[in-house]
């Protein structure tokens, strides 16, 4: 009796004595005649077996798990078809020898084929039409890195705002997480509890995280790259985490003007779709050595750039320029900003509230950094979004919250 066996290798044949043999005996014949180890075999009369992707799928599509089951009980006879799945590699009996293929006769491997799909080209169009910065929050950030840090070390922050239906990002406040900046690197020491408070405020304001901003240092003033390999890695990581198609990466730098002086300059980019894909699929070499060229990003495997297979890619291939606008948003940025050299105190709260006594409380509270300071003492799931919503709507702050905030200010 001849049985037809279809597997991932195609259709093959196995010769048996008759339909009286058991499943176990058939598997032994398959091992002898097709060189597939018995313990690696999964047999079924169901063709769906060949579509199985997980062990659970294999179990669901096999009906030949009983080793003592005779083939006759399944109405199998001469010429019947069975389906076979197995793990590992095998040498197929009678198969022709492999011949070289691909460029210049080189044999193509699976990695070669995958790399061929990773073609790095310049992405001409961003998913973000433009990014508009609230003047107050942009000035507060650039003044700090310019006046206090003198562009000597790096500083970064998460940008929050809205995205219009036309794909324009509007940045209304910048949250600066705990961090350690050096001349060459920016290490974010993120505080999960504080970020929950930030997100609760953003939710009440009808905003969300829309990007990341950082400054380059004076050390980088004469470099030949737009972003370094370390900056590309950090930008790609945060872009991938943000899961927003319009996510923006903004850079603040010093540029020499015509008079020989230095001007503060903003640039905005999106990391290309291919950059984010390469990052998510772990193609980037994440360990950067001192001798590495900062304008090149190293890959673990070759990618196609132009007509060349390369393991180093010019960082500019990963950047898509975004035009910059500005606007006057609904929030001020006059309260001391979080996680800087000096921490905000209750006295700062009192000074801020006393500065404009004639204004309603909701107007005084229309500052993200003040809201974040107060949020430390409130319930993050109910109180914080409620007060932020008052700011969004410019509606009166409920009396209970007003009394609490005033009592906090008077404790100094």
């Amino acid at each position: 009796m001849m049985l037809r066996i279809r597997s991932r290798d195609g259709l093959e044949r196995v010769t048996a004595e008759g339909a009286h043999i058991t499943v176990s005996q058939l598997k032994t014949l398959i091992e002898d005649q097709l060189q597939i180890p018995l313990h690696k075999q999964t047999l079924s009369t169901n063709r769906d077996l060949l579509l199985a992707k997980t062990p659970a799928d294999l179990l669901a599509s096999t009906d030949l798990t009983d080793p003592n089951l005779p083939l006759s009980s399944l109405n199998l006879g001469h010429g019947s078809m069975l389906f076979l799945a197995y793990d590992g590699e095998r040498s197929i009996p009678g198969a022709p020898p492999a011949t070289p293929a691909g460029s210049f006769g080189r044999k193509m491997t699976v990695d070669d084929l995958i790399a061929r799909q990773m073609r790095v080209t310049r992405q001409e169009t961003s998913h973000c039409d433009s990014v508009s910065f609230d003047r107050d929050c942009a000035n507060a950030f650039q003044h700090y890195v310019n006046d206090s840090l003198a562009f000597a070390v790096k500083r970064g922050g998460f940008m929050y705002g809205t995205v219009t239906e036309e794909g324009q990002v509007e940045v209304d406040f910048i949250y600066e997480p705990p961090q350690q900046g050096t001349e060459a690197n920016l290490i974010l020491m993120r505080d999960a509890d504080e970020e929950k408070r930030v997100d609760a405020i953003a939710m009440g304001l009808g905003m969300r995280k829309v990007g990341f901003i950082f400054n380059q240092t004076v050390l980088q003033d004469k470099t030949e790259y737009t972003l370094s390999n370390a900056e590309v890695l950090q930008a790609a990581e945060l872009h991938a985490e943000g899961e927003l198609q319009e996510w923006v990466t903004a850079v603040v730098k010093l540029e020499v003007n015509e008079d020989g002086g230095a001007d503060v300059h903003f640039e905005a980019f999106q990391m290309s779709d291919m950059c984010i894909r390469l990052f998510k699929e772990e193609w980037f070499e994440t360990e950067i050595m001192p001798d590495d060229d900062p304008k090149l990003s190293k890959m673990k495997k070759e990618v196609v750039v132009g007509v060349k297979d390369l393991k180093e890619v010019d960082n500019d291939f990963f950047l898509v320029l975004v035009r910059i606008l500005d606007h006057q948003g609904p929030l001020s940025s006059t309260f001391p900003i979080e996680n800087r050299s000096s921490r905000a105190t209750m006295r700062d709260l009192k000074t801020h509230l006393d500065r404009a006594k004639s204004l309603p409380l909701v107007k005084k509270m229309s500052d993200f950094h003040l809201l974040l300071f107060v949020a430390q003492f409130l319930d993050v799931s109910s109180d914080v979004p409620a007060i932020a919503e008052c700011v969004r709507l410019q509606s009166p702050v409920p009396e209970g919250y007003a009394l609490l905030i005033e009592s906090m200010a008077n404790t100094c």
Side-chain angles (χ1 to χ4, degrees):
M1 180 177 76
M2 181 273 293
L3 292 170
R4 294 179 295 165
I5 308 294
R6 181 171 290 283
S7 70
R8 70 192 190 199
D9 303 315
L11 186 64
E12 297 174 85
R13 291 170 175 80
V14 169
T15 303
E17 290 181 5
H20 62 276
I21 67 168
T22 64
V23 170
S24 176
Q25 290 170 322
L26 174 59
K27 286 189 172 184
T28 300
L29 291 172
I30 291 173
E31 183 177 48
D32 293 339
Q33 297 179 32
L34 302 184
Q35 285 75 59
I36 300 174
L38 189 148
H39 68 278
K40 292 186 175 182
Q41 299 175 27
T42 302
L43 275 174
S44 178
T45 57
N46 185 349
R47 69 174 61 245
D48 289 343
L49 177 73
L50 300 184
L51 302 176
K53 292 185 171 129
T54 66
D57 292 339
L58 287 173
L59 290 174
S61 56
T62 181
D63 49 5
L64 297 176
T65 52
D66 183 354
N68 299 315
L69 189 69
L71 302 189
S72 57
S73 65
L74 298 169
N75 295 321
L76 295 175
H78 182 74
S80 293
M81 175 86 75
L82 286 170
F83 300 91
L84 169 67
Y86 67 92
D87 294 326
E89 302 295 330
R90 64 180 282 230
S91 177
I92 304 173
T99 55
S103 302
F104 308 103
R106 178 167 60 91
K107 183 178 178 181
M108 298 290 282
T109 66
V110 172
D111 283 346
D112 293 330
L113 295 173
I114 293 173
R116 284 290 168 192
Q117 299 175 31
M118 295 301 186
R119 182 173 293 277
V120 179
T121 59
R122 294 185 189 275
Q123 183 176 320
E124 300 298 331
T125 306
S126 70
H127 299 291
C128 170
D129 176 70
S130 62
V131 57
S132 181
F133 288 92
D134 170 78
R135 299 183 192 99
D136 289 343
C137 80
N139 283 334
F141 185 81
Q142 67 98 358
H143 276 310
Y144 183 66
V145 299
N146 188 16
D147 299 344
S148 299
L149 303 180
F151 281 93
V153 297
K154 290 193 170 190
R155 184 76 184 171
F158 289 106
M159 304 187 294
Y160 282 75
T162 57
V163 181
T164 68
E165 292 182 359
E166 295 76 25
Q168 178 179 335
V169 172
E170 294 187 351
V171 178
D172 287 313
F173 70 83
I174 297 170
Y175 159 64
E176 299 178 20
Q179 57 195 273
Q180 180 65 53
T182 68
E183 205 170 31
N185 295 300
L186 176 61
I187 303 167
L188 300 181
M189 299 177 288
R190 297 170 67 176
D191 182 330
D193 290 334
E194 186 171 79
E195 290 193 28
K196 284 180 182 177
R197 293 193 285 271
V198 175
D199 290 336
I201 293 168
M203 182 178 68
L205 293 172
M207 300 178 189
R208 62 164 298 168
K209 195 185 296 183
V210 295
F212 183 68
I213 186 171
F214 68 95
N215 72 285
Q216 292 182 332
T217 61
V218 176
L219 173 71
Q220 299 171 277
D221 182 38
K222 296 180 181 179
T223 55
E224 298 178 353
Y225 56 80
T226 309
L227 291 183
S228 70
N229 44 19
E231 290 166 346
V232 166
L233 270 176
Q234 187 169 51
E237 179 182 9
L238 297 174
H239 185 142
E241 177 193 305
E243 296 185 341
L244 176 68
Q245 190 177 40
E246 295 85 3
W247 183 274
V248 175
T249 298
V251 186
V252 184
K253 58 176 68 176
L254 281 179
E255 288 195 347
V256 178
N257 58 33
E258 295 178 355
D259 301 324
D263 292 332
V264 178
H265 182 67
F266 279 69
E267 290 182 352
F269 307 93
Q270 281 202 294
M271 309 312 290
S272 70
D273 295 342
M274 178 52 74
C275 176
I276 302 306
R277 179 181 174 186
L278 289 170
F279 179 82
K280 287 182 174 180
E281 296 182 13
E282 299 183 349
W283 283 61
F284 280 95
E285 285 282 5
T286 55
E287 186 175 356
I288 297 173
M289 307 304 292
D291 295 335
D292 289 344
D293 187 338
K295 69 175 178 288
L296 301 175
S297 290
K298 295 175 70 173
M299 301 287 119
K300 294 178 181 176
K301 295 178 282 189
E302 288 183 343
V303 296
V304 180
V305 182
V307 296
K308 296 180 180 179
D309 295 342
L310 302 173
K311 291 186 77 172
E312 292 185 323
V313 181
D314 189 312
N315 298 332
D316 283 351
F317 276 96
F318 297 131
L319 305 180
V320 189
L321 193 63
V322 175
R323 65 191 179 108
I324 294 178
L325 306 172
D326 68 340
H327 67 277
Q328 192 63 57
L331 303 173
S332 65
S333 291
T334 57
F335 192 79
I337 293 174
E338 63 285 344
N339 299 314
R340 291 188 175 179
S341 53
S342 59
R343 298 180 65 86
T345 64
M346 291 299 183
R347 183 168 294 281
D348 292 316
L349 176 61
K350 181 171 177 56
T351 301
H352 183 91
L353 296 179
D354 288 346
R355 189 177 293 130
K357 289 186 175 180
S358 60
L359 294 177
L361 180 60
V362 69
K363 197 69 177 175
K364 300 175 188 178
M365 296 289 294
S366 299
D367 184 308
F368 161 73
H369 308 289
L370 181 146
L371 291 170
L372 184 57
F373 176 76
V374 171
Q376 301 174 76
F377 312 101
L378 301 172
D379 185 279
V380 70
S381 60
S382 57
D383 299 337
V384 175
I387 293 177
E389 186 175 26
C390 291
V391 171
R392 178 174 66 85
L393 300 173
Q394 287 296 290
S395 60
V397 176
E399 185 177 359
Y401 291 137
L403 291 172
L404 176 61
I405 293 166
E406 288 172 6
S407 67
M408 287 166 56
N410 290 325
T411 59
C412 59

